[in-house]
Amino acid sequence: MQGGNFDHLRFRLSEILSATNNFSDTFYIGSGGYGRVYKAELHHFDGINPLVVEGKNTGEIHKRHTTVAIKRIITRVDTQAEQGFFTEIELLSKCRHSNVVSLLGFCDERSEMILVYEYVSNGSLENFLEKKDRRINFTWAERIQMCLDIANGLNYLHTSTEDKRCIIHRDIKSANILLNNKWEAKIADFGLSKLHYAREKYSTLATNNIAGTQVYLDPEYEKTGRLKTKSDVYSFGVVMFEIMCGKLAYDKTYDEKGLPSLARQCFVERTLKNLVDPNIEKVDMLFSGFDQESFDMFTNVAYKCIAIAQSERPTMEFVIRELQKALNIQVFFIVIVIVIVVVVVVVVVVVVVVVVKNKGRLHISLNAMNMGTQNFSDSSCLGEGRFWKLYKGEVEHANGYSAIIAKRWDSHSRKGDDQFWKELAILFKHKHENIIHLIGFCYEKNEKIIVYEHASNGRLDKHFDDVNLRWMKRLEICFDVANGLKFLHTGGAEKDDKIIHGDIKSGSILLDDDWNAKICNLECSCKTMVYDRAEHIDDSAYDSLGHVDPKYKSTWYLTEKSDIYSLGVILLEMLCGKLAWEEGCEDHSQSLVPLAKKHYETNRNLNEMIFTGIKEQIEPLSLTTFVRIVFQCLEDEWDERPEASEVVIQLKEALGFQVSYHSFIELLFCLQCICTLYRQKPGTYPHFHVTIQIKYIQVLYLNKV
C-alpha cells in the first residue's frame, strides 16, 4: 500500500474472530467471487481521519459500536484477490461520499485478508431484481432517485480532488450496488478499480488485463484495452435499463446479446415501453406510472450511456443534470395528479351529500330494479363494458313509471366502484339535451346502478348500415354529438368545470324516440389533460379500438383533442355505414381511418367508400364540408385538430346545405305535381302561383335556420 498511514483502520484478528464466533455460519450473509461476507458488531473509528470530527481536528480518537459487514477474502493462485484487497484499502481509505460504501477497516494478520465495511441492510440491487416475489416495489420517481444516487457516487469517483485521484471502478453492475435501510444506493467492491490522472492531456489508460463483467462491460474497452471513465458510464447505462425494466441485464428473457443490445434496438424503434417493469404501474396505481416527458428524458440519457463508442457517451455531470430534470418533472406530475385526486374526492363527497339529501327523490330500490329488469336477465341486456352491463327495463321513479336504461356495475371491482361515483357526479352536475339524462340510482346491498332516461333507438353503432337512417338524419345526429362534446369541453354554464370524455365512440351514443343523440358512458371522464394508461382503451373490444387517438398510444395522455379525434371517427362511420374496427380486423392499418386516409390521398374524395344506402341523397356541398371536418378531426397532431365548437359550426353548415337541397328537391316535386294537375285541369293557375310562393318562402326560411 502506497502513501498514508492506515494504522487507525487496522483491526486485530482476535476482534473479528470474536465478533463472528470464528466465522460461524450464523453470521454468514453472502459470498462473491473473492470471498465470504459476514454480519457482525464491532467497535471502529468513524471517518477517514479519527482525529477529525465534523471538519475540526479535536485531537481525540472517536470510536463507534455498530453493525458492520466483514468480507473474508479467499487466497487465489493468480494473486488477483491479494491485489484487490490492497487496492480497496488504498482507494476507499481516501473516499467519503454518501453514495460510496465506507471502508471502516481491515485485517492482514496471519496471512488473512479481511475488509470491514459499513453494513448496508437491504443487500445488493442484483438480489432485489432477482426476487420474483418482492414485498416492495419502487415507483418511477424512486427508480430515478436510485439512478441519481449511483450517478452521484460515480461522479465523485471520477472527480480528482486534493485528497484523492480519479478512480475508474471497472465493475459497475447491479451486484456492486448496495441499498441501505432507506433504499439509498451505494457503490461497492473496488477490487478491480484503477487510479487515474483524469486531468492529464490523455485521459485513457491502456491495459492488457481486461476486467469487468460481461453484459456490463464497455465494448470499446473490451476490444481495444483503452480504459476511460466513459467505460464506467457504459456500465451505469446498463444498470439504468435494469432499474427501468425490473430485470437483470442477463435475464433469460433477453436474447444472447443481453439487455444493452435490446435496449438500443427498442430505442430506435420507439418501443422501449414494452420493456418497462409492469410493477411500476402496480405500485403507482394512483398515478398510472410515469410522466411521458420524464420517461423520455430518462431513456434518452440511458441510451447515450450505452453508446458503442466511448466518445459518444456523456459525462456523469451531464447524466446527473438530466436525471435531476427527469425526477423534477415526475415529482411535479405527481403533485398535479394529487391535486386532481383531491378535487375528485371533494366532488365525490359533495355528490354523496347530495345523494343523501335527495335519496328519497332519486334513489330507486333494488327490489324495483330487479322487477323492472326481470332480475337483470340476459334478454334485457343491451351491451357491456369492462366493469358494467347495460339493461333495458321499466321502473317507478321520482317522475313516475317509465321505460329506463340501467347501468349495473360490477360489485366486486374497486375500479368499477370508483367509476360509478365518477359518472354519478358528472351526471348530477352536467345537464344538457345531448347528454344522457339521469333518472336515478340504486346503491343498496353492494349493488351500484345508474338509471338513465330511456333511449328507444338504442346505440348508434347498431344503425350504421340501416338504409332507413337517411343522410339528413345522420347529419343531425352528428351535430348532436358534437354539440354535447362542446358542452362538456366548455364547461357549460360553469366555465371552470370542463370535462374530457375519454371514451367517445359510437357505442357511447344513445338515440331516443326522435333520434336525438345522447352522450353516455362518462365513467372514464376527467377534468383536465391526464396521463392515463386507460383500461377501456387497452381492452380488445372492437368498438373501443377503432376510436383511439393515435397520439394517446405514443404519449399515454388524454386531452380534449383526443375526444375530437374519436368524434371524427364517428363522423366517418356515419358516412361509410360501417364500424371503424370491424370483426376480423387484425391491426390498426386495416381499420376504417387509415383506409379512408389512404383512399382520400389517392382519389381526393371518399366517393367509393360512402354507404350505398345514402350515396344518392347527399348534396355535393354538404359532402365537401362534411369530409373536410372529418379529416380535420383526424389530424395526427393535437394542435391541428379543431375545437368542438368549430366542429359544431361546420356540421351546421353541412346540414344547412343539405336542408336547402332537400327543400329544393321538394319544391321541384311540388312543381311537377302542380304541372301535372294543371294539364289535367286547366284553369288552376292561381293555385299554382300560390304554391310556388309558399315553397319559395320555405326555402328562404330553411336557409336561415
Side-chain angles (χ1 to χ4, degrees):
M1 291 180 287
Q2 298 176 350
N5 184 359
F6 300 103
D7 288 343
H8 65 284
L9 294 176
R10 186 172 274 108
F11 282 90
R12 293 193 300 273
L13 181 59
S14 57
E15 292 179 274
I16 294 174
L17 292 175
S18 174
T20 60
N21 193 19
N22 290 321
F23 296 109
S24 165
D25 287 344
T26 306
F27 295 89
Y28 170 75
I29 57 174
S31 62
Y34 293 98
R36 292 164 60 90
V37 182
Y38 300 83
K39 175 184 173 183
E41 292 188 0
L42 280 174
H43 279 88
H44 60 85
F45 291 118
D46 185 20
I48 299 171
N49 187 341
L51 300 179
V52 176
V53 178
E54 295 182 355
K56 297 180 181 180
N57 193 319
T58 63
E60 299 177 2
I61 295 178
H62 292 267
K63 274 193 171 185
R64 296 176 60 193
H65 183 81
T66 63
T67 302
V68 298
I70 299 173
K71 183 177 180 181
R72 189 187 191 192
I73 296 173
I74 302 169
T75 303
R76 290 169 40 135
V77 177
D78 59 9
T79 72
Q80 271 196 325
E82 185 177 359
Q83 291 174 8
F85 172 69
F86 291 116
T87 297
E88 289 224 34
I89 296 172
E90 186 174 0
L91 297 185
L92 283 180
S93 63
K94 297 175 182 178
C95 291
R96 172 53 63 91
H97 190 274
S98 58
N99 299 120
V100 176
V101 73
S102 296
L103 177 70
L104 303 178
F106 68 94
C107 175
D108 55 359
E109 288 183 36
R110 301 181 197 170
S111 71
E112 287 279 3
M113 292 182 291
I114 300 170
L115 296 170
V116 181
Y117 305 103
E118 65 172 312
Y119 176 65
V120 187
S121 58
N122 280 315
S124 73
L125 176 61
E126 179 186 55
N127 290 339
F128 177 83
L129 294 175
E130 278 181 329
K131 293 178 182 176
K132 301 301 180 185
D133 55 342
R134 303 170 196 158
R135 289 181 296 175
I136 186 171
N137 277 300
F138 298 118
T139 64
W140 180 240
E142 288 170 336
R143 290 170 196 246
I144 300 174
Q145 183 59 62
M146 188 178 295
C147 292
L148 257 176
D149 289 345
I150 303 167
N152 280 316
L154 206 48
N155 185 51
Y156 169 78
L157 296 176
H158 290 177
T159 304
S160 292
T161 65
E162 293 181 1
D163 298 325
K164 74 168 191 62
R165 285 158 55 182
C166 167
I167 299 171
I168 301 176
H169 189 281
R170 284 213 298 176
D171 199 20
I172 292 293
K173 58 183 179 181
S174 52
N176 291 336
I177 305 298
L178 303 182
L179 304 170
N180 68 11
N181 60 340
K182 296 180 181 179
W183 298 100
E184 295 167 338
K186 293 175 177 283
I187 299 173
D189 201 339
F190 288 76
L192 299 178
S193 300
K194 290 282 188 181
L195 284 173
H196 180 33
Y197 287 107
R199 293 178 182 174
E200 290 185 354
K201 182 176 180 180
Y202 301 103
S203 56
T204 301
L205 284 174
T207 173
N208 293 322
N209 181 22
I210 304 299
T213 303
Q214 283 298 330
V215 184
Y216 303 91
L217 191 60
D218 169 13
E220 185 172 333
Y221 165 54
E222 183 180 21
K223 183 178 180 180
T224 66
R226 290 194 294 268
L227 179 66
K228 289 186 175 184
T229 54
K230 297 291 183 72
S231 301
D232 283 347
V233 172
Y234 180 90
S235 305
F236 170 68
V238 179
V239 174
M240 283 183 69
F241 277 114
E242 284 184 314
I243 291 172
M244 183 194 85
C245 301
K247 294 180 181 179
L248 293 169
Y250 49 85
D251 190 275
K252 293 179 181 178
T253 57
Y254 302 133
D255 58 27
E256 295 178 357
K257 296 180 181 178
L259 178 57
S261 176
L262 179 61
R264 281 191 290 269
Q265 177 184 337
C266 289
F267 183 89
V268 173
E269 296 174 353
R270 303 183 66 81
T271 56
L272 271 175
K273 281 184 180 175
N274 296 336
L275 300 182
V276 173
D277 184 357
N279 287 312
I280 292 177
E281 187 168 347
K282 292 178 183 178
V283 73
D284 266 346
M285 186 173 291
L286 178 62
F287 309 121
S288 303
F290 42 74
D291 176 88
Q292 182 64 36
E293 187 178 355
S294 172
F295 176 74
D296 289 344
M297 197 164 287
F298 179 94
T299 52
N300 281 338
V301 74
Y303 176 73
K304 289 177 181 177
C305 288
I306 61 169
I308 298 296
Q310 293 176 345
S311 60
E312 295 178 3
R313 297 173 206 153
T315 63
M316 290 312 301
E317 290 92 338
F318 175 84
V319 171
I320 290 169
R321 285 197 303 271
E322 293 301 294
L323 285 178
Q324 190 61 61
K325 288 178 188 176
L327 180 60
N328 292 343
I329 291 168
Q330 179 67 16
V331 170
F332 177 75
F333 168 73
I334 291 173
V335 170
I336 292 297
V337 173
I338 290 174
V339 170
I340 294 171
V341 169
V342 170
V343 170
V344 170
V345 169
V346 170
V347 170
V348 169
V349 170
V350 171
V351 169
V352 171
V353 172
V354 173
V355 167
V356 172
K357 288 184 178 179
N358 294 277
K359 186 171 182 179
R361 185 171 64 86
L362 291 176
H363 191 267
I364 302 172
S365 71
L366 181 58
N367 184 52
M369 293 304 306
N370 285 330
M371 291 180 60
T373 60
Q374 301 176 3
N375 290 316
F376 297 100
S377 66
D378 291 342
S379 61
S380 300
C381 187
L382 299 174
E384 61 183 292
R386 194 178 184 90
F387 301 108
W388 51 263
K389 288 187 176 181
L390 213 58
Y391 298 86
K392 63 181 180 180
E394 295 184 358
V395 299
E396 186 173 356
H397 49 83
N399 298 321
Y401 185 87
S402 68
I404 55 88
I405 293 178
K407 191 173 189 176
R408 187 189 193 195
W409 299 84
D410 182 355
S411 59
H412 302 294
S413 167
R414 196 189 77 176
K415 188 78 171 178
D417 189 65
D418 295 340
Q419 290 186 355
F420 165 79
W421 286 109
K422 181 186 286 187
E423 180 163 14
L424 192 58
I426 292 173
L427 291 177
F428 259 121
K429 200 169 183 180
H430 295 78
K431 302 184 187 303
H432 186 267
E433 60 186 348
N434 298 122
I435 304 296
I436 197 72
H437 180 62
L438 177 69
I439 296 295
F441 69 97
C442 177
Y443 188 65
E444 186 178 327
K445 295 181 180 178
N446 206 32
E447 287 282 2
K448 300 175 287 292
I449 305 165
I450 291 178
V451 182
Y452 296 146
E453 63 179 309
H454 183 53
S456 60
N457 283 308
R459 291 169 28 168
L460 176 60
D461 58 343
K462 304 299 181 184
H463 298 281
F464 289 141
D465 59 353
D466 182 359
V467 295
N468 295 315
L469 187 62
R470 299 177 65 79
W471 177 243
M472 178 83 81
K473 184 56 67 179
R474 289 173 188 249
L475 277 174
E476 291 172 349
I477 291 170
C478 291
F479 178 85
D480 286 348
V481 178
N483 202 36
L485 262 188
K486 174 186 172 184
F487 173 78
L488 292 176
H489 288 182
T490 57
E494 300 182 31
K495 299 298 183 184
D496 61 338
D497 201 19
K498 300 176 183 179
I499 296 292
I500 299 169
H501 187 284
D503 192 22
I504 285 292
K505 58 189 178 187
S506 44
S508 294
I509 309 299
L510 297 178
L511 302 167
D512 67 12
D513 297 350
D514 298 320
W515 295 90
N516 297 310
K518 312 277 185 176
I519 296 174
C520 65
N521 296 343
L522 291 106
E523 69 274 6
C524 298
S525 302
C526 53
K527 289 197 171 188
T528 184
M529 180 175 76
V530 66
Y531 173 90
D532 183 20
R533 193 185 288 254
E535 290 177 309
H536 64 280
I537 290 177
D538 288 342
D539 200 344
S540 60
Y542 300 126
D543 60 348
S544 287
L545 288 173
H547 297 79
V548 179
D549 176 7
K551 193 75 173 175
Y552 167 80
K553 293 180 178 179
S554 62
T555 66
W556 298 117
Y557 275 105
L558 288 172
T559 76
E560 293 164 346
K561 296 301 179 72
S562 302
D563 284 349
I564 295 299
Y565 180 90
S566 302
L567 172 61
V569 179
I570 293 175
L571 302 186
L572 191 59
E573 288 176 318
M574 292 290 269
L575 180 66
C576 299
K578 61 194 298 187
L579 291 170
W581 191 291
E582 295 190 308
E583 192 168 354
C585 189
E586 296 182 359
D587 58 50
H588 180 66
S589 65
Q590 298 176 4
S591 64
L592 184 59
V593 173
L595 292 177
K597 286 186 174 182
K598 185 177 180 180
H599 188 279
Y600 189 81
E601 287 174 3
T602 303
N603 304 289
R604 305 312 301 167
N605 63 62
L606 293 178
N607 294 344
E608 298 301 319
M609 296 188 68
I610 297 173
F611 177 42
T612 54
I614 61 171
K615 199 170 186 178
E616 298 302 321
Q617 304 166 16
I618 306 177
E619 194 274 334
L621 285 176
S622 176
L623 177 61
T624 300
T625 305
F626 188 84
V627 171
R628 181 177 67 240
I629 192 60
V630 166
F631 284 113
Q632 286 176 2
C633 292
L634 297 177
E635 288 285 356
D636 292 331
E637 298 301 324
W638 287 327
D639 56 4
E640 294 178 1
R641 299 174 196 165
E643 302 289 341
S645 56
E646 177 60 26
V647 179
V648 168
I649 292 171
Q650 294 201 46
L651 285 175
K652 189 174 183 179
E653 184 179 348
L655 185 58
F657 286 130
Q658 191 65 30
V659 167
S660 299
Y661 176 71
H662 182 71
S663 299
F664 180 69
I665 295 299
E666 282 190 345
L667 178 57
L668 290 178
F669 178 74
C670 183
L671 287 172
Q672 185 180 14
C673 291
I674 292 172
C675 289
T676 301
L677 178 63
Y678 183 72
R679 283 195 300 269
Q680 293 174 352
K681 295 182 179 181
T684 57
Y685 172 77
H687 177 70
F688 169 73
H689 178 68
V690 171
T691 303
I692 290 177
Q693 285 185 325
I694 291 172
K695 297 307 292 184
Y696 178 71
I697 293 170
Q698 287 178 336
V699 170
L700 290 177
Y701 173 74
L702 288 170
N703 278 332
K704 294 179 181 178
V705 174

mmCIF file of all heavy atoms in Angstrom, residues 593-606 631 636:
data_model
loop_
_atom_site.group_PDB
_atom_site.id
_atom_site.type_symbol
_atom_site.label_atom_id
_atom_site.label_comp_id
_atom_site.label_asym_id
_atom_site.label_seq_id
_atom_site.Cartn_x
_atom_site.Cartn_y
_atom_site.Cartn_z
ATOM 1 N N VAL A 593 -60.163 4.331 -40.417
ATOM 2 C CA VAL A 593 -59.492 5.624 -40.564
ATOM 3 C C VAL A 593 -58.293 5.559 -41.514
ATOM 4 O O VAL A 593 -58.215 6.343 -42.471
ATOM 5 C CB VAL A 593 -59.090 6.198 -39.195
ATOM 6 C CG1 VAL A 593 -58.236 7.456 -39.370
ATOM 7 C CG2 VAL A 593 -60.332 6.526 -38.367
ATOM 8 N N PRO A 594 -57.318 4.665 -41.296
ATOM 9 C CA PRO A 594 -56.186 4.621 -42.241
ATOM 10 C C PRO A 594 -56.606 4.268 -43.664
ATOM 11 O O PRO A 594 -56.021 4.768 -44.633
ATOM 12 C CB PRO A 594 -55.246 3.566 -41.652
ATOM 13 C CG PRO A 594 -56.052 2.812 -40.668
ATOM 14 C CD PRO A 594 -57.102 3.733 -40.170
ATOM 15 N N LEU A 595 -57.630 3.426 -43.806
ATOM 16 C CA LEU A 595 -58.119 3.087 -45.144
ATOM 17 C C LEU A 595 -58.726 4.312 -45.820
ATOM 18 O O LEU A 595 -58.503 4.556 -47.013
ATOM 19 C CB LEU A 595 -59.157 1.962 -45.062
ATOM 20 C CG LEU A 595 -58.631 0.578 -44.643
ATOM 21 C CD1 LEU A 595 -59.778 -0.418 -44.537
ATOM 22 C CD2 LEU A 595 -57.578 0.074 -45.630
ATOM 23 N N ALA A 596 -59.494 5.111 -45.060
ATOM 24 C CA ALA A 596 -60.109 6.316 -45.611
ATOM 25 C C ALA A 596 -59.049 7.348 -45.981
ATOM 26 O O ALA A 596 -59.133 8.000 -47.033
ATOM 27 C CB ALA A 596 -61.093 6.902 -44.599
ATOM 28 N N LYS A 597 -58.034 7.513 -45.119
ATOM 29 C CA LYS A 597 -56.969 8.470 -45.419
ATOM 30 C C LYS A 597 -56.216 8.074 -46.687
ATOM 31 O O LYS A 597 -55.903 8.922 -47.531
ATOM 32 C CB LYS A 597 -56.005 8.561 -44.234
ATOM 33 C CG LYS A 597 -56.559 9.339 -43.035
ATOM 34 C CD LYS A 597 -55.497 9.509 -41.962
ATOM 35 C CE LYS A 597 -56.001 10.401 -40.840
ATOM 36 N NZ LYS A 597 -54.984 10.634 -39.800
ATOM 37 N N LYS A 598 -55.932 6.805 -46.798
ATOM 38 C CA LYS A 598 -55.211 6.315 -47.983
ATOM 39 C C LYS A 598 -56.044 6.526 -49.244
ATOM 40 O O LYS A 598 -55.534 6.958 -50.288
ATOM 41 C CB LYS A 598 -54.877 4.832 -47.801
ATOM 42 C CG LYS A 598 -54.035 4.249 -48.916
ATOM 43 C CD LYS A 598 -53.684 2.786 -48.610
ATOM 44 C CE LYS A 598 -52.831 2.192 -49.732
ATOM 45 N NZ LYS A 598 -52.483 0.778 -49.457
ATOM 46 N N HIS A 599 -57.345 6.233 -49.157
ATOM 47 C CA HIS A 599 -58.240 6.402 -50.298
ATOM 48 C C HIS A 599 -58.342 7.865 -50.699
ATOM 49 O O HIS A 599 -58.327 8.198 -51.895
ATOM 50 C CB HIS A 599 -59.631 5.851 -49.952
ATOM 51 C CG HIS A 599 -60.575 5.798 -51.110
ATOM 52 N ND1 HIS A 599 -61.281 6.892 -51.548
ATOM 53 C CD2 HIS A 599 -60.937 4.770 -51.926
ATOM 54 C CE1 HIS A 599 -62.035 6.556 -52.576
ATOM 55 N NE2 HIS A 599 -61.847 5.266 -52.824
ATOM 56 N N TYR A 600 -58.410 8.748 -49.701
ATOM 57 C CA TYR A 600 -58.541 10.177 -49.993
ATOM 58 C C TYR A 600 -57.261 10.724 -50.628
ATOM 59 O O TYR A 600 -57.307 11.554 -51.543
ATOM 60 C CB TYR A 600 -58.866 10.944 -48.714
ATOM 61 C CG TYR A 600 -59.234 12.398 -48.965
ATOM 62 C CD1 TYR A 600 -60.521 12.741 -49.370
ATOM 63 C CD2 TYR A 600 -58.298 13.409 -48.811
ATOM 64 C CE1 TYR A 600 -60.869 14.065 -49.615
ATOM 65 C CE2 TYR A 600 -58.627 14.733 -49.058
ATOM 66 C CZ TYR A 600 -59.915 15.057 -49.455
ATOM 67 O OH TYR A 600 -60.248 16.358 -49.711
ATOM 68 N N GLU A 601 -56.110 10.266 -50.145
ATOM 69 C CA GLU A 601 -54.836 10.712 -50.722
ATOM 70 C C GLU A 601 -54.712 10.302 -52.187
ATOM 71 O O GLU A 601 -54.152 11.038 -53.009
ATOM 72 C CB GLU A 601 -53.671 10.120 -49.917
ATOM 73 C CG GLU A 601 -53.482 10.751 -48.550
ATOM 74 C CD GLU A 601 -52.417 10.039 -47.738
ATOM 75 O OE1 GLU A 601 -51.786 9.092 -48.273
ATOM 76 O OE2 GLU A 601 -52.215 10.414 -46.568
ATOM 77 N N THR A 602 -55.268 9.160 -52.526
ATOM 78 C CA THR A 602 -55.185 8.652 -53.900
ATOM 79 C C THR A 602 -56.216 9.305 -54.820
ATOM 80 O O THR A 602 -55.895 9.672 -55.959
ATOM 81 C CB THR A 602 -55.390 7.122 -53.909
ATOM 82 O OG1 THR A 602 -54.419 6.518 -53.048
ATOM 83 C CG2 THR A 602 -55.248 6.564 -55.324
ATOM 84 N N ASN A 603 -57.451 9.456 -54.331
ATOM 85 C CA ASN A 603 -58.557 9.885 -55.194
ATOM 86 C C ASN A 603 -59.062 11.298 -54.916
ATOM 87 O O ASN A 603 -59.895 11.803 -55.667
ATOM 88 C CB ASN A 603 -59.731 8.906 -55.046
ATOM 89 C CG ASN A 603 -59.340 7.467 -55.345
ATOM 90 O OD1 ASN A 603 -59.098 7.121 -56.490
ATOM 91 N ND2 ASN A 603 -59.269 6.642 -54.313
ATOM 92 N N ARG A 604 -58.603 11.912 -53.827
ATOM 93 C CA ARG A 604 -59.057 13.244 -53.410
ATOM 94 C C ARG A 604 -60.551 13.274 -53.127
ATOM 95 O O ARG A 604 -61.177 14.335 -53.130
ATOM 96 C CB ARG A 604 -58.710 14.313 -54.456
ATOM 97 C CG ARG A 604 -57.244 14.381 -54.847
ATOM 98 C CD ARG A 604 -56.326 14.404 -53.639
ATOM 99 N NE ARG A 604 -56.588 15.548 -52.759
ATOM 100 C CZ ARG A 604 -56.098 15.678 -51.523
ATOM 101 N NH1 ARG A 604 -55.321 14.711 -51.016
ATOM 102 N NH2 ARG A 604 -56.352 16.724 -50.806
ATOM 103 N N ASN A 605 -61.129 12.137 -52.844
ATOM 104 C CA ASN A 605 -62.528 12.056 -52.419
ATOM 105 C C ASN A 605 -62.755 10.713 -51.742
ATOM 106 O O ASN A 605 -61.878 9.842 -51.772
ATOM 107 C CB ASN A 605 -63.496 12.238 -53.597
ATOM 108 C CG ASN A 605 -63.364 11.150 -54.639
ATOM 109 O OD1 ASN A 605 -63.585 9.973 -54.361
ATOM 110 N ND2 ASN A 605 -62.995 11.545 -55.864
ATOM 111 N N LEU A 606 -63.939 10.549 -51.156
ATOM 112 C CA LEU A 606 -64.288 9.291 -50.491
ATOM 113 C C LEU A 606 -65.477 8.619 -51.182
ATOM 114 O O LEU A 606 -66.163 7.790 -50.573
ATOM 115 C CB LEU A 606 -64.625 9.549 -49.013
ATOM 116 C CG LEU A 606 -63.489 10.004 -48.101
ATOM 117 C CD1 LEU A 606 -64.016 10.257 -46.691
ATOM 118 C CD2 LEU A 606 -62.369 8.983 -48.053
ATOM 119 N N PHE A 631 -61.633 15.037 -41.739
ATOM 120 C CA PHE A 631 -60.177 14.901 -41.786
ATOM 121 C C PHE A 631 -59.469 15.922 -40.895
ATOM 122 O O PHE A 631 -58.345 15.672 -40.445
ATOM 123 C CB PHE A 631 -59.679 14.984 -43.228
ATOM 124 C CG PHE A 631 -59.935 13.722 -44.001
ATOM 125 C CD1 PHE A 631 -60.836 13.698 -45.051
ATOM 126 C CD2 PHE A 631 -59.298 12.541 -43.653
ATOM 127 C CE1 PHE A 631 -61.079 12.526 -45.749
ATOM 128 C CE2 PHE A 631 -59.536 11.366 -44.337
ATOM 129 C CZ PHE A 631 -60.432 11.351 -45.396
ATOM 130 N N ASP A 636 -53.148 14.050 -37.106
ATOM 131 C CA ASP A 636 -52.288 13.323 -36.169
ATOM 132 C C ASP A 636 -51.913 14.163 -34.945
ATOM 133 O O ASP A 636 -51.803 13.636 -33.831
ATOM 134 C CB ASP A 636 -51.016 12.861 -36.873
ATOM 135 C CG ASP A 636 -51.299 11.786 -37.914
ATOM 136 O OD1 ASP A 636 -52.276 11.040 -37.729
ATOM 137 O OD2 ASP A 636 -50.551 11.707 -38.900
#
